[in-house]
Amino acid sequence: GKLTRDYLDGKRFRYVPPLRLYIFSSIAFFFIAAILAGHSIQINTETTDDGDISGIQINMDDMEELDEALEQLDPEVAAEVKSGIEEVEEDDHDHLQFNDEPWDRETNPLIVPFLPDGVNDWINNEIEESPQKGKEIEANPNLITDKIFELLPATMFVLLPIVALLLKFWYLFAKKYYVEHLIFALHNHSFIFVVLLIIMLVNTYAGWRDPGETGGWTTAANAITAGLSIWIPIYMLVSLKRVFQQGWLLTVLKYSCIGISYVTLLLLATTFVALTSFVLL
């Protein structure tokens, strides 16, 4: 909280302006996150003591890379994988039901009574297109991932004024202007982006140095991740205490209320982003 305290006290010459700091840290975070979000394929096999294959796990971002990846396996294993994929593809995932009956655009559409006809038509258009979109996402998960990373930065930026309102509400009698709460929110979100960026880079580097995830690099990365993950909520609490300078008991109570409100807001925002990304495909 020292950065916010100094800034509010007028000691600003040596500091980056809060908005610029937020924009830089958020761009860096979302840019790296988008790059590291996928573009890899892994096939892991589990074997018994006798050498028989007991399980096969495939993690991929592009089905076009499947044949190339299967070449790394024993021919019998590759055949088993292909057989399993064919069985999954033959499953019917398009069964949508409303009122205990299969959805049909003409005979059983979804109608929300209080919505205009145009909105209901749009909803049913999305329902009609959803199975095809689902198959496209199955074939190439990067479609939905890229769309989410297009929307998420703007959504987080829009959330900032709302977070500042939450702080203003819980510190209504702290004699702080709204802009002061906004500056505090900008600084804390910048901190979160920087810490999450460090966690991503540490784990990526550890994965590169230790692909089997059994060596010292993985252990160190897990320890750093755990430490920083614990430090984030502690940092938030300490910064709240330092900036608003209230007693620990009151600060902890307000911290809990703000935390619950913020997590709820974040869940709503991420749900909105996920649904909007699916609709915009």
PDB file of all heavy atoms in Angstrom, residues 40-47 53 55-74 76-82 85 211-212:
ATOM      1  N   SER A  40       0.239 -26.556 -28.150  1.00  0.00           N
ATOM      2  CA  SER A  40       1.067 -27.742 -27.913  1.00  0.00           C
ATOM      3  C   SER A  40       0.170 -28.957 -27.848  1.00  0.00           C
ATOM      4  O   SER A  40      -1.021 -28.853 -27.584  1.00  0.00           O
ATOM      5  CB  SER A  40       1.848 -27.604 -26.600  1.00  0.00           C
ATOM      6  OG  SER A  40       0.970 -27.543 -25.509  1.00  0.00           O
ATOM      7  N   ILE A  41       0.759 -30.087 -28.098  1.00  0.00           N
ATOM      8  CA  ILE A  41       0.017 -31.341 -28.022  1.00  0.00           C
ATOM      9  C   ILE A  41       0.861 -32.362 -27.288  1.00  0.00           C
ATOM     10  O   ILE A  41       2.058 -32.471 -27.506  1.00  0.00           O
ATOM     11  CB  ILE A  41      -0.356 -31.856 -29.436  1.00  0.00           C
ATOM     12  CG1 ILE A  41      -1.096 -33.186 -29.345  1.00  0.00           C
ATOM     13  CG2 ILE A  41       0.872 -32.022 -30.302  1.00  0.00           C
ATOM     14  CD1 ILE A  41      -1.744 -33.579 -30.655  1.00  0.00           C
ATOM     15  N   GLN A  42       0.242 -33.068 -26.369  1.00  0.00           N
ATOM     16  CA  GLN A  42       0.951 -34.064 -25.581  1.00  0.00           C
ATOM     17  C   GLN A  42       0.145 -35.352 -25.577  1.00  0.00           C
ATOM     18  O   GLN A  42      -1.067 -35.329 -25.430  1.00  0.00           O
ATOM     19  CB  GLN A  42       1.154 -33.591 -24.132  1.00  0.00           C
ATOM     20  CG  GLN A  42       1.994 -32.338 -24.005  1.00  0.00           C
ATOM     21  CD  GLN A  42       2.090 -31.878 -22.569  1.00  0.00           C
ATOM     22  OE1 GLN A  42       1.354 -32.355 -21.698  1.00  0.00           O
ATOM     23  NE2 GLN A  42       2.998 -30.967 -22.317  1.00  0.00           N
ATOM     24  N   ILE A  43       0.847 -36.449 -25.722  1.00  0.00           N
ATOM     25  CA  ILE A  43       0.214 -37.757 -25.594  1.00  0.00           C
ATOM     26  C   ILE A  43       0.962 -38.519 -24.524  1.00  0.00           C
ATOM     27  O   ILE A  43       2.154 -38.766 -24.643  1.00  0.00           O
ATOM     28  CB  ILE A  43       0.222 -38.538 -26.925  1.00  0.00           C
ATOM     29  CG1 ILE A  43      -0.573 -37.754 -27.983  1.00  0.00           C
ATOM     30  CG2 ILE A  43      -0.334 -39.923 -26.726  1.00  0.00           C
ATOM     31  CD1 ILE A  43      -0.704 -38.485 -29.292  1.00  0.00           C
ATOM     32  N   ASN A  44       0.255 -38.862 -23.459  1.00  0.00           N
ATOM     33  CA  ASN A  44       0.860 -39.564 -22.342  1.00  0.00           C
ATOM     34  C   ASN A  44       0.253 -40.959 -22.232  1.00  0.00           C
ATOM     35  O   ASN A  44      -0.960 -41.123 -22.321  1.00  0.00           O
ATOM     36  CB  ASN A  44       0.625 -38.806 -21.031  1.00  0.00           C
ATOM     37  CG  ASN A  44       1.151 -37.382 -21.100  1.00  0.00           C
ATOM     38  OD1 ASN A  44       2.222 -37.161 -21.633  1.00  0.00           O
ATOM     39  ND2 ASN A  44       0.394 -36.431 -20.580  1.00  0.00           N
ATOM     40  N   THR A  45       1.090 -41.947 -22.048  1.00  0.00           N
ATOM     41  CA  THR A  45       0.604 -43.310 -21.871  1.00  0.00           C
ATOM     42  C   THR A  45       0.995 -43.815 -20.498  1.00  0.00           C
ATOM     43  O   THR A  45       2.077 -43.507 -19.995  1.00  0.00           O
ATOM     44  CB  THR A  45       1.182 -44.245 -22.946  1.00  0.00           C
ATOM     45  OG1 THR A  45       2.602 -44.239 -22.834  1.00  0.00           O
ATOM     46  CG2 THR A  45       0.773 -43.789 -24.337  1.00  0.00           C
ATOM     47  N   GLU A  46       0.076 -44.555 -19.893  1.00  0.00           N
ATOM     48  CA  GLU A  46       0.342 -45.176 -18.606  1.00  0.00           C
ATOM     49  C   GLU A  46       0.480 -46.680 -18.823  1.00  0.00           C
ATOM     50  O   GLU A  46      -0.336 -47.287 -19.509  1.00  0.00           O
ATOM     51  CB  GLU A  46      -0.799 -44.881 -17.627  1.00  0.00           C
ATOM     52  CG  GLU A  46      -0.972 -43.389 -17.345  1.00  0.00           C
ATOM     53  CD  GLU A  46      -2.139 -43.134 -16.422  1.00  0.00           C
ATOM     54  OE1 GLU A  46      -2.751 -44.130 -15.973  1.00  0.00           O
ATOM     55  OE2 GLU A  46      -2.430 -41.962 -16.145  1.00  0.00           O
ATOM     56  N   THR A  47       1.508 -47.272 -18.259  1.00  0.00           N
ATOM     57  CA  THR A  47       1.741 -48.697 -18.452  1.00  0.00           C
ATOM     58  C   THR A  47       1.716 -49.430 -17.125  1.00  0.00           C
ATOM     59  O   THR A  47       2.015 -48.860 -16.073  1.00  0.00           O
ATOM     60  CB  THR A  47       3.100 -48.934 -19.129  1.00  0.00           C
ATOM     61  OG1 THR A  47       4.127 -48.346 -18.319  1.00  0.00           O
ATOM     62  CG2 THR A  47       3.132 -48.293 -20.514  1.00  0.00           C
ATOM     63  N   ILE A  53      -0.333 -51.232 -21.789  1.00  0.00           N
ATOM     64  CA  ILE A  53      -0.848 -49.864 -21.696  1.00  0.00           C
ATOM     65  C   ILE A  53      -2.146 -49.868 -20.903  1.00  0.00           C
ATOM     66  O   ILE A  53      -3.102 -50.571 -21.253  1.00  0.00           O
ATOM     67  CB  ILE A  53      -1.084 -49.282 -23.094  1.00  0.00           C
ATOM     68  CG1 ILE A  53       0.250 -49.163 -23.834  1.00  0.00           C
ATOM     69  CG2 ILE A  53      -1.772 -47.938 -23.018  1.00  0.00           C
ATOM     70  CD1 ILE A  53       0.115 -48.761 -25.268  1.00  0.00           C
ATOM     71  N   GLY A  55      -3.602 -46.771 -19.864  1.00  0.00           N
ATOM     72  CA  GLY A  55      -4.351 -45.544 -20.102  1.00  0.00           C
ATOM     73  C   GLY A  55      -3.648 -44.654 -21.097  1.00  0.00           C
ATOM     74  O   GLY A  55      -2.426 -44.653 -21.206  1.00  0.00           O
ATOM     75  N   ILE A  56      -4.411 -43.889 -21.835  1.00  0.00           N
ATOM     76  CA  ILE A  56      -3.874 -42.951 -22.816  1.00  0.00           C
ATOM     77  C   ILE A  56      -4.571 -41.611 -22.612  1.00  0.00           C
ATOM     78  O   ILE A  56      -5.798 -41.553 -22.520  1.00  0.00           O
ATOM     79  CB  ILE A  56      -4.119 -43.436 -24.257  1.00  0.00           C
ATOM     80  CG1 ILE A  56      -3.404 -44.759 -24.496  1.00  0.00           C
ATOM     81  CG2 ILE A  56      -3.653 -42.385 -25.260  1.00  0.00           C
ATOM     82  CD1 ILE A  56      -3.702 -45.357 -25.842  1.00  0.00           C
ATOM     83  N   GLN A  57      -3.788 -40.545 -22.538  1.00  0.00           N
ATOM     84  CA  GLN A  57      -4.343 -39.216 -22.354  1.00  0.00           C
ATOM     85  C   GLN A  57      -3.812 -38.312 -23.449  1.00  0.00           C
ATOM     86  O   GLN A  57      -2.606 -38.256 -23.692  1.00  0.00           O
ATOM     87  CB  GLN A  57      -3.968 -38.641 -20.984  1.00  0.00           C
ATOM     88  CG  GLN A  57      -4.519 -37.243 -20.745  1.00  0.00           C
ATOM     89  CD  GLN A  57      -4.093 -36.700 -19.397  1.00  0.00           C
ATOM     90  OE1 GLN A  57      -3.387 -37.357 -18.653  1.00  0.00           O
ATOM     91  NE2 GLN A  57      -4.517 -35.492 -19.096  1.00  0.00           N
ATOM     92  N   ILE A  58      -4.712 -37.610 -24.114  1.00  0.00           N
ATOM     93  CA  ILE A  58      -4.318 -36.699 -25.184  1.00  0.00           C
ATOM     94  C   ILE A  58      -4.746 -35.294 -24.821  1.00  0.00           C
ATOM     95  O   ILE A  58      -5.905 -35.058 -24.499  1.00  0.00           O
ATOM     96  CB  ILE A  58      -4.981 -37.083 -26.535  1.00  0.00           C
ATOM     97  CG1 ILE A  58      -4.602 -38.511 -26.919  1.00  0.00           C
ATOM     98  CG2 ILE A  58      -4.571 -36.109 -27.624  1.00  0.00           C
ATOM     99  CD1 ILE A  58      -5.225 -38.960 -28.194  1.00  0.00           C
ATOM    100  N   ASN A  59      -3.793 -34.361 -24.869  1.00  0.00           N
ATOM    101  CA  ASN A  59      -4.095 -32.953 -24.654  1.00  0.00           C
ATOM    102  C   ASN A  59      -3.629 -32.201 -25.886  1.00  0.00           C
ATOM    103  O   ASN A  59      -2.452 -32.169 -26.187  1.00  0.00           O
ATOM    104  CB  ASN A  59      -3.350 -32.411 -23.424  1.00  0.00           C
ATOM    105  CG  ASN A  59      -3.722 -33.181 -22.184  1.00  0.00           C
ATOM    106  OD1 ASN A  59      -4.887 -33.399 -21.929  1.00  0.00           O
ATOM    107  ND2 ASN A  59      -2.711 -33.593 -21.433  1.00  0.00           N
ATOM    108  N   MET A  60      -4.554 -31.601 -26.619  1.00  0.00           N
ATOM    109  CA  MET A  60      -4.157 -30.940 -27.845  1.00  0.00           C
ATOM    110  C   MET A  60      -4.987 -29.692 -28.066  1.00  0.00           C
ATOM    111  O   MET A  60      -6.074 -29.526 -27.525  1.00  0.00           O
ATOM    112  CB  MET A  60      -4.304 -31.881 -29.031  1.00  0.00           C
ATOM    113  CG  MET A  60      -5.733 -32.204 -29.409  1.00  0.00           C
ATOM    114  SD  MET A  60      -5.798 -33.322 -30.780  1.00  0.00           S
ATOM    115  CE  MET A  60      -5.430 -34.854 -29.980  1.00  0.00           C
ATOM    116  N   ASP A  61      -4.432 -28.788 -28.882  1.00  0.00           N
ATOM    117  CA  ASP A  61      -5.118 -27.555 -29.217  1.00  0.00           C
ATOM    118  C   ASP A  61      -5.524 -27.516 -30.688  1.00  0.00           C
ATOM    119  O   ASP A  61      -6.225 -26.611 -31.096  1.00  0.00           O
ATOM    120  CB  ASP A  61      -4.227 -26.349 -28.918  1.00  0.00           C
ATOM    121  CG  ASP A  61      -3.980 -26.194 -27.428  1.00  0.00           C
ATOM    122  OD1 ASP A  61      -4.926 -26.425 -26.668  1.00  0.00           O
ATOM    123  OD2 ASP A  61      -2.852 -25.862 -27.055  1.00  0.00           O
ATOM    124  N   ASP A  62      -5.079 -28.469 -31.475  1.00  0.00           N
ATOM    125  CA  ASP A  62      -5.409 -28.448 -32.891  1.00  0.00           C
ATOM    126  C   ASP A  62      -5.471 -29.878 -33.396  1.00  0.00           C
ATOM    127  O   ASP A  62      -4.471 -30.585 -33.414  1.00  0.00           O
ATOM    128  CB  ASP A  62      -4.346 -27.657 -33.672  1.00  0.00           C
ATOM    129  CG  ASP A  62      -4.820 -27.348 -35.091  1.00  0.00           C
ATOM    130  OD1 ASP A  62      -5.747 -28.036 -35.559  1.00  0.00           O
ATOM    131  OD2 ASP A  62      -4.265 -26.424 -35.709  1.00  0.00           O
ATOM    132  N   MET A  63      -6.645 -30.310 -33.807  1.00  0.00           N
ATOM    133  CA  MET A  63      -6.826 -31.684 -34.239  1.00  0.00           C
ATOM    134  C   MET A  63      -6.010 -31.990 -35.500  1.00  0.00           C
ATOM    135  O   MET A  63      -5.735 -33.141 -35.796  1.00  0.00           O
ATOM    136  CB  MET A  63      -8.311 -31.943 -34.519  1.00  0.00           C
ATOM    137  CG  MET A  63      -9.166 -32.006 -33.258  1.00  0.00           C
ATOM    138  SD  MET A  63      -8.753 -33.409 -32.206  1.00  0.00           S
ATOM    139  CE  MET A  63      -9.379 -34.758 -33.200  1.00  0.00           C
ATOM    140  N   GLU A  64      -5.619 -30.941 -36.238  1.00  0.00           N
ATOM    141  CA  GLU A  64      -4.831 -31.174 -37.445  1.00  0.00           C
ATOM    142  C   GLU A  64      -3.457 -31.750 -37.114  1.00  0.00           C
ATOM    143  O   GLU A  64      -2.797 -32.336 -37.964  1.00  0.00           O
ATOM    144  CB  GLU A  64      -4.679 -29.865 -38.221  1.00  0.00           C
ATOM    145  CG  GLU A  64      -5.992 -29.351 -38.791  1.00  0.00           C
ATOM    146  CD  GLU A  64      -5.814 -28.041 -39.527  1.00  0.00           C
ATOM    147  OE1 GLU A  64      -4.662 -27.552 -39.550  1.00  0.00           O
ATOM    148  OE2 GLU A  64      -6.798 -27.535 -40.079  1.00  0.00           O
ATOM    149  N   GLU A  65      -3.011 -31.581 -35.862  1.00  0.00           N
ATOM    150  CA  GLU A  65      -1.701 -32.078 -35.471  1.00  0.00           C
ATOM    151  C   GLU A  65      -1.768 -33.534 -34.983  1.00  0.00           C
ATOM    152  O   GLU A  65      -0.750 -34.101 -34.585  1.00  0.00           O
ATOM    153  CB  GLU A  65      -1.122 -31.203 -34.357  1.00  0.00           C
ATOM    154  CG  GLU A  65      -0.955 -29.753 -34.765  1.00  0.00           C
ATOM    155  CD  GLU A  65      -0.457 -28.900 -33.606  1.00  0.00           C
ATOM    156  OE1 GLU A  65      -0.052 -29.494 -32.585  1.00  0.00           O
ATOM    157  OE2 GLU A  65      -0.489 -27.674 -33.708  1.00  0.00           O
ATOM    158  N   LEU A  66      -2.952 -34.131 -35.002  1.00  0.00           N
ATOM    159  CA  LEU A  66      -3.128 -35.458 -34.423  1.00  0.00           C
ATOM    160  C   LEU A  66      -2.263 -36.507 -35.115  1.00  0.00           C
ATOM    161  O   LEU A  66      -1.548 -37.271 -34.455  1.00  0.00           O
ATOM    162  CB  LEU A  66      -4.601 -35.866 -34.484  1.00  0.00           C
ATOM    163  CG  LEU A  66      -4.929 -37.265 -33.959  1.00  0.00           C
ATOM    164  CD1 LEU A  66      -4.528 -37.391 -32.497  1.00  0.00           C
ATOM    165  CD2 LEU A  66      -6.389 -37.593 -34.152  1.00  0.00           C
ATOM    166  N   ASP A  67      -2.325 -36.566 -36.450  1.00  0.00           N
ATOM    167  CA  ASP A  67      -1.575 -37.590 -37.172  1.00  0.00           C
ATOM    168  C   ASP A  67      -0.076 -37.479 -36.910  1.00  0.00           C
ATOM    169  O   ASP A  67       0.615 -38.491 -36.725  1.00  0.00           O
ATOM    170  CB  ASP A  67      -1.851 -37.489 -38.680  1.00  0.00           C
ATOM    171  CG  ASP A  67      -3.273 -37.894 -39.010  1.00  0.00           C
ATOM    172  OD1 ASP A  67      -3.843 -38.688 -38.231  1.00  0.00           O
ATOM    173  OD2 ASP A  67      -3.808 -37.418 -40.024  1.00  0.00           O
ATOM    174  N   GLU A  68       0.410 -36.245 -36.882  1.00  0.00           N
ATOM    175  CA  GLU A  68       1.829 -36.043 -36.625  1.00  0.00           C
ATOM    176  C   GLU A  68       2.205 -36.520 -35.221  1.00  0.00           C
ATOM    177  O   GLU A  68       3.261 -37.133 -35.017  1.00  0.00           O
ATOM    178  CB  GLU A  68       2.166 -34.553 -36.772  1.00  0.00           C
ATOM    179  CG  GLU A  68       3.625 -34.230 -36.527  1.00  0.00           C
ATOM    180  CD  GLU A  68       3.898 -32.749 -36.651  1.00  0.00           C
ATOM    181  OE1 GLU A  68       3.027 -32.028 -37.200  1.00  0.00           O
ATOM    182  OE2 GLU A  68       4.984 -32.316 -36.209  1.00  0.00           O
ATOM    183  N   ALA A  69       1.317 -36.265 -34.260  1.00  0.00           N
ATOM    184  CA  ALA A  69       1.599 -36.685 -32.879  1.00  0.00           C
ATOM    185  C   ALA A  69       1.536 -38.197 -32.733  1.00  0.00           C
ATOM    186  O   ALA A  69       2.324 -38.794 -31.992  1.00  0.00           O
ATOM    187  CB  ALA A  69       0.609 -36.033 -31.919  1.00  0.00           C
ATOM    188  N   LEU A  70       0.611 -38.828 -33.448  1.00  0.00           N
ATOM    189  CA  LEU A  70       0.456 -40.276 -33.330  1.00  0.00           C
ATOM    190  C   LEU A  70       1.660 -41.027 -33.889  1.00  0.00           C
ATOM    191  O   LEU A  70       1.900 -42.188 -33.523  1.00  0.00           O
ATOM    192  CB  LEU A  70      -0.818 -40.734 -34.052  1.00  0.00           C
ATOM    193  CG  LEU A  70      -2.139 -40.331 -33.388  1.00  0.00           C
ATOM    194  CD1 LEU A  70      -3.317 -40.813 -34.213  1.00  0.00           C
ATOM    195  CD2 LEU A  70      -2.226 -40.876 -31.965  1.00  0.00           C
ATOM    196  N   GLU A  71       2.423 -40.385 -34.771  1.00  0.00           N
ATOM    197  CA  GLU A  71       3.609 -41.026 -35.319  1.00  0.00           C
ATOM    198  C   GLU A  71       4.662 -41.287 -34.248  1.00  0.00           C
ATOM    199  O   GLU A  71       5.551 -42.116 -34.426  1.00  0.00           O
ATOM    200  CB  GLU A  71       4.202 -40.157 -36.429  1.00  0.00           C
ATOM    201  CG  GLU A  71       3.323 -40.073 -37.678  1.00  0.00           C
ATOM    202  CD  GLU A  71       3.914 -39.153 -38.733  1.00  0.00           C
ATOM    203  OE1 GLU A  71       5.010 -38.600 -38.467  1.00  0.00           O
ATOM    204  OE2 GLU A  71       3.302 -38.983 -39.798  1.00  0.00           O
ATOM    205  N   GLN A  72       4.537 -40.578 -33.118  1.00  0.00           N
ATOM    206  CA  GLN A  72       5.493 -40.750 -32.034  1.00  0.00           C
ATOM    207  C   GLN A  72       5.209 -42.026 -31.232  1.00  0.00           C
ATOM    208  O   GLN A  72       6.035 -42.456 -30.432  1.00  0.00           O
ATOM    209  CB  GLN A  72       5.445 -39.544 -31.088  1.00  0.00           C
ATOM    210  CG  GLN A  72       5.679 -38.219 -31.780  1.00  0.00           C
ATOM    211  CD  GLN A  72       5.436 -37.051 -30.854  1.00  0.00           C
ATOM    212  OE1 GLN A  72       5.425 -37.206 -29.642  1.00  0.00           O
ATOM    213  NE2 GLN A  72       5.248 -35.876 -31.427  1.00  0.00           N
ATOM    214  N   LEU A  73       4.035 -42.618 -31.457  1.00  0.00           N
ATOM    215  CA  LEU A  73       3.618 -43.768 -30.665  1.00  0.00           C
ATOM    216  C   LEU A  73       3.857 -45.076 -31.412  1.00  0.00           C
ATOM    217  O   LEU A  73       4.053 -45.103 -32.621  1.00  0.00           O
ATOM    218  CB  LEU A  73       2.132 -43.654 -30.306  1.00  0.00           C
ATOM    219  CG  LEU A  73       1.703 -42.440 -29.471  1.00  0.00           C
ATOM    220  CD1 LEU A  73       0.206 -42.472 -29.274  1.00  0.00           C
ATOM    221  CD2 LEU A  73       2.425 -42.420 -28.135  1.00  0.00           C
ATOM    222  N   ASP A  74       3.800 -46.147 -30.642  1.00  0.00           N
ATOM    223  CA  ASP A  74       3.831 -47.480 -31.222  1.00  0.00           C
ATOM    224  C   ASP A  74       2.598 -47.652 -32.127  1.00  0.00           C
ATOM    225  O   ASP A  74       1.517 -47.146 -31.802  1.00  0.00           O
ATOM    226  CB  ASP A  74       3.804 -48.513 -30.080  1.00  0.00           C
ATOM    227  CG  ASP A  74       3.827 -49.925 -30.615  1.00  0.00           C
ATOM    228  OD1 ASP A  74       2.724 -50.465 -30.849  1.00  0.00           O
ATOM    229  OD2 ASP A  74       4.927 -50.473 -30.788  1.00  0.00           O
ATOM    230  N   GLU A  76       0.478 -49.997 -32.595  1.00  0.00           N
ATOM    231  CA  GLU A  76      -0.693 -50.558 -31.920  1.00  0.00           C
ATOM    232  C   GLU A  76      -1.352 -49.513 -31.030  1.00  0.00           C
ATOM    233  O   GLU A  76      -2.583 -49.420 -30.955  1.00  0.00           O
ATOM    234  CB  GLU A  76      -0.278 -51.780 -31.093  1.00  0.00           C
ATOM    235  CG  GLU A  76       0.195 -52.960 -31.933  1.00  0.00           C
ATOM    236  CD  GLU A  76       0.522 -54.161 -31.067  1.00  0.00           C
ATOM    237  OE1 GLU A  76       0.311 -54.073 -29.834  1.00  0.00           O
ATOM    238  OE2 GLU A  76       0.981 -55.180 -31.622  1.00  0.00           O
ATOM    239  N   VAL A  77      -0.538 -48.717 -30.359  1.00  0.00           N
ATOM    240  CA  VAL A  77      -1.080 -47.660 -29.504  1.00  0.00           C
ATOM    241  C   VAL A  77      -1.803 -46.620 -30.346  1.00  0.00           C
ATOM    242  O   VAL A  77      -2.901 -46.162 -30.018  1.00  0.00           O
ATOM    243  CB  VAL A  77       0.057 -46.981 -28.689  1.00  0.00           C
ATOM    244  CG1 VAL A  77      -0.494 -45.831 -27.861  1.00  0.00           C
ATOM    245  CG2 VAL A  77       0.747 -47.997 -27.794  1.00  0.00           C
ATOM    246  N   ALA A  78      -1.195 -46.242 -31.490  1.00  0.00           N
ATOM    247  CA  ALA A  78      -1.805 -45.255 -32.370  1.00  0.00           C
ATOM    248  C   ALA A  78      -3.157 -45.737 -32.878  1.00  0.00           C
ATOM    249  O   ALA A  78      -4.123 -44.966 -32.954  1.00  0.00           O
ATOM    250  CB  ALA A  78      -0.871 -44.957 -33.546  1.00  0.00           C
ATOM    251  N   ALA A  79      -3.234 -47.034 -33.214  1.00  0.00           N
ATOM    252  CA  ALA A  79      -4.496 -47.595 -33.690  1.00  0.00           C
ATOM    253  C   ALA A  79      -5.560 -47.541 -32.608  1.00  0.00           C
ATOM    254  O   ALA A  79      -6.735 -47.240 -32.867  1.00  0.00           O
ATOM    255  CB  ALA A  79      -4.284 -49.040 -34.155  1.00  0.00           C
ATOM    256  N   GLU A  80      -5.152 -47.803 -31.359  1.00  0.00           N
ATOM    257  CA  GLU A  80      -6.099 -47.757 -30.242  1.00  0.00           C
ATOM    258  C   GLU A  80      -6.600 -46.330 -30.014  1.00  0.00           C
ATOM    259  O   GLU A  80      -7.782 -46.110 -29.762  1.00  0.00           O
ATOM    260  CB  GLU A  80      -5.424 -48.282 -28.977  1.00  0.00           C
ATOM    261  CG  GLU A  80      -6.369 -48.374 -27.780  1.00  0.00           C
ATOM    262  CD  GLU A  80      -5.674 -48.987 -26.574  1.00  0.00           C
ATOM    263  OE1 GLU A  80      -4.597 -49.586 -26.740  1.00  0.00           O
ATOM    264  OE2 GLU A  80      -6.212 -48.845 -25.465  1.00  0.00           O
ATOM    265  N   VAL A  81      -5.702 -45.375 -30.144  1.00  0.00           N
ATOM    266  CA  VAL A  81      -6.085 -43.968 -29.973  1.00  0.00           C
ATOM    267  C   VAL A  81      -7.091 -43.560 -31.044  1.00  0.00           C
ATOM    268  O   VAL A  81      -8.122 -42.956 -30.761  1.00  0.00           O
ATOM    269  CB  VAL A  81      -4.840 -43.052 -30.027  1.00  0.00           C
ATOM    270  CG1 VAL A  81      -5.263 -41.585 -30.051  1.00  0.00           C
ATOM    271  CG2 VAL A  81      -3.944 -43.316 -28.824  1.00  0.00           C
ATOM    272  N   LYS A  82      -6.791 -43.883 -32.301  1.00  0.00           N
ATOM    273  CA  LYS A  82      -7.684 -43.525 -33.394  1.00  0.00           C
ATOM    274  C   LYS A  82      -9.050 -44.172 -33.230  1.00  0.00           C
ATOM    275  O   LYS A  82     -10.083 -43.552 -33.497  1.00  0.00           O
ATOM    276  CB  LYS A  82      -7.073 -43.939 -34.734  1.00  0.00           C
ATOM    277  CG  LYS A  82      -5.879 -43.088 -35.151  1.00  0.00           C
ATOM    278  CD  LYS A  82      -5.360 -43.526 -36.510  1.00  0.00           C
ATOM    279  CE  LYS A  82      -4.190 -42.648 -36.955  1.00  0.00           C
ATOM    280  NZ  LYS A  82      -3.663 -43.053 -38.277  1.00  0.00           N
ATOM    281  N   ILE A  85     -10.994 -42.235 -30.632  1.00  0.00           N
ATOM    282  CA  ILE A  85     -11.451 -40.945 -31.135  1.00  0.00           C
ATOM    283  C   ILE A  85     -12.646 -41.125 -32.062  1.00  0.00           C
ATOM    284  O   ILE A  85     -13.612 -40.366 -32.024  1.00  0.00           O
ATOM    285  CB  ILE A  85     -10.306 -40.213 -31.853  1.00  0.00           C
ATOM    286  CG1 ILE A  85      -9.250 -39.803 -30.839  1.00  0.00           C
ATOM    287  CG2 ILE A  85     -10.826 -38.992 -32.610  1.00  0.00           C
ATOM    288  CD1 ILE A  85      -8.019 -39.194 -31.454  1.00  0.00           C
ATOM    289  N   PRO A 211      10.490 -31.528 -18.717  1.00  0.00           N
ATOM    290  CA  PRO A 211       9.246 -31.980 -19.366  1.00  0.00           C
ATOM    291  C   PRO A 211       8.534 -33.091 -18.592  1.00  0.00           C
ATOM    292  O   PRO A 211       7.313 -33.196 -18.641  1.00  0.00           O
ATOM    293  CB  PRO A 211       9.723 -32.478 -20.742  1.00  0.00           C
ATOM    294  CG  PRO A 211      11.042 -31.812 -20.953  1.00  0.00           C
ATOM    295  CD  PRO A 211      11.658 -31.678 -19.598  1.00  0.00           C
ATOM    296  N   GLY A 212       9.287 -33.926 -17.898  1.00  0.00           N
ATOM    297  CA  GLY A 212       8.661 -35.019 -17.150  1.00  0.00           C
ATOM    298  C   GLY A 212       8.025 -34.585 -15.850  1.00  0.00           C
ATOM    299  O   GLY A 212       7.310 -35.369 -15.205  1.00  0.00           O
TER     300      GLY A 212
END
